[in-house]
Amino acid sequence: MLPIETIITQINSHHQLATKQAKDAVTNAKAAGLLLLQVKASMPHGKWTDWLKANVEVSDRQAQRYMAAAQGKTVPLRELAGKSDTVSVLKKPNRSTGVWKNEKWQPEAGCMYLFKESEATYWILPSDAFGLWFHVCKHYSGDRMSTSGFRREWTIFSKITDPDLTSEFYVGTTRPLGYIGVEGVLKSYGLQNFAKSLVLGKQIKQGFESPFGQPGSENWYWGENGEWDDREAYIDSLLKADGV
């Protein structure tokens, strides 16, 4: 499969041509449909609609038509070339404030965020090309955070040595626990007010290999006395609060 950024560009290009030039609508609809089928086949179950909204200018309904045309099914020309339900009409602005679901904050697919609160900065970056998984980290100065209540396989604690970064310490994870979510991880790092502390939220069409400014392993630390505390106190408290 082609690089995902190339596929996204080609899907949008074929979509624009299909809705602007009726005589070439079928050809471009089929071309877009083939690319959409490739991406959909590679997506985890249940993530397809989120990926469409975050990355391409094609509504879910129009994507179904394009994929049907690519599979040789008959789709009326007026539907392939129609513009009434395309995402270009409903396209969300580049700025994102995240979404609230079940009273919990979560990032939108394919978006990055920056929070600033109590002399600390909190970063959220997509960790995959589809923008569905996220890195979360905190840069701060002052008292060094304890590892108590955090899991070694999920969390990195470190000193910051990059001269371009003015903070002293770093804590971050590349795999936020599913039942805690991004909001839970940020709260465990100390973020209190999501609405007031949000500085930046925007769509970006790329994934990152690691959290922002993650120091090398030689700067990681493992606990107050050289030992990592593997207790799940914070996780347990969240589960109890949710009545689990």
Side-chain angles (χ1 to χ4, degrees):
M1 192 168 81
L2 292 170
I4 193 66
E5 285 299 318
T6 302
I7 288 179
I8 290 170
T9 300
Q10 291 187 8
I11 289 172
N12 287 332
S13 176
H14 287 303
H15 166 62
Q16 291 167 8
L17 291 172
T19 57
K20 288 180 180 179
Q21 302 179 23
K23 64 184 180 67
D24 296 324
V26 175
T27 299
N28 284 293
K30 287 182 177 179
L34 288 172
L35 293 169
L36 288 164
L37 287 168
Q38 288 182 38
V39 177
K40 187 175 183 181
S42 70
M43 296 289 295
H45 180 70
K47 300 298 184 181
W48 172 240
T49 300
D50 288 340
W51 184 88
L52 275 178
K53 290 180 180 179
N55 291 280
V56 296
E57 301 171 1
V58 183
S59 68
D60 184 48
R61 183 182 298 179
Q62 193 74 346
Q64 296 298 328
R65 293 169 181 156
Y66 288 168
M67 290 188 289
Q71 293 170 326
K73 299 176 183 178
T74 301
V75 182
L77 178 61
R78 65 179 180 277
E79 293 185 359
L80 292 179
K83 300 181 181 181
S84 60
D85 63 349
T86 59
V87 175
S88 58
V89 176
L90 305 173
K91 194 172 179 65
K92 296 180 292 186
N94 189 42
R95 179 170 170 78
S96 171
T97 57
V99 295
W100 289 91
K101 187 174 182 181
N102 298 324
E103 298 184 352
K104 291 185 177 181
W105 183 89
Q106 62 186 35
E108 290 187 86
C111 291
M112 67 170 288
Y113 299 87
L114 168 64
F115 295 88
K116 284 189 177 182
E117 187 175 272
S118 301
E119 305 303 320
T121 58
Y122 302 79
W123 292 87
I124 303 171
L125 300 175
S127 62
D128 67 317
F130 300 114
L132 301 174
W133 298 91
F134 295 89
H135 300 297
V136 182
C137 67
K138 173 185 179 180
H139 295 221
Y140 65 101
S141 298
D143 295 334
R144 191 177 80 169
M145 288 179 64
S146 169
T147 63
S148 178
F150 293 91
R151 292 291 295 274
R152 175 165 37 197
E153 62 265 41
W154 300 111
T155 315
I156 292 172
F157 288 82
S158 178
K159 295 180 180 179
I160 292 179
T161 58
D162 188 335
D164 292 329
L165 300 175
T166 58
S167 302
E168 295 179 71
F169 300 109
Y170 163 99
V171 57
T173 177
T174 58
R175 298 178 64 190
L177 296 176
Y179 50 88
I180 290 181
V182 171
E183 183 203 61
V185 173
L186 287 168
K187 284 185 175 179
S188 76
Y189 293 170
L191 184 61
Q192 299 293 318
N193 193 313
F194 287 80
K196 288 186 178 180
S197 59
L198 180 64
V199 174
L200 172 68
K202 68 175 184 177
Q203 294 180 350
I204 52 174
K205 296 180 179 180
Q206 68 180 95
F208 294 83
E209 293 183 1
S210 62
F212 173 70
Q214 179 177 292
S217 58
E218 68 276 9
N219 298 303
W220 298 358
Y221 66 87
W222 311 106
E224 300 304 316
N225 299 308
E227 297 293 332
W228 191 284
D229 187 337
D230 274 334
R231 289 179 299 163
E232 296 184 62
Y234 180 72
I235 295 172
D236 289 341
S237 69
L238 284 178
L239 293 178
K240 288 178 182 178
D242 288 339
V244 177

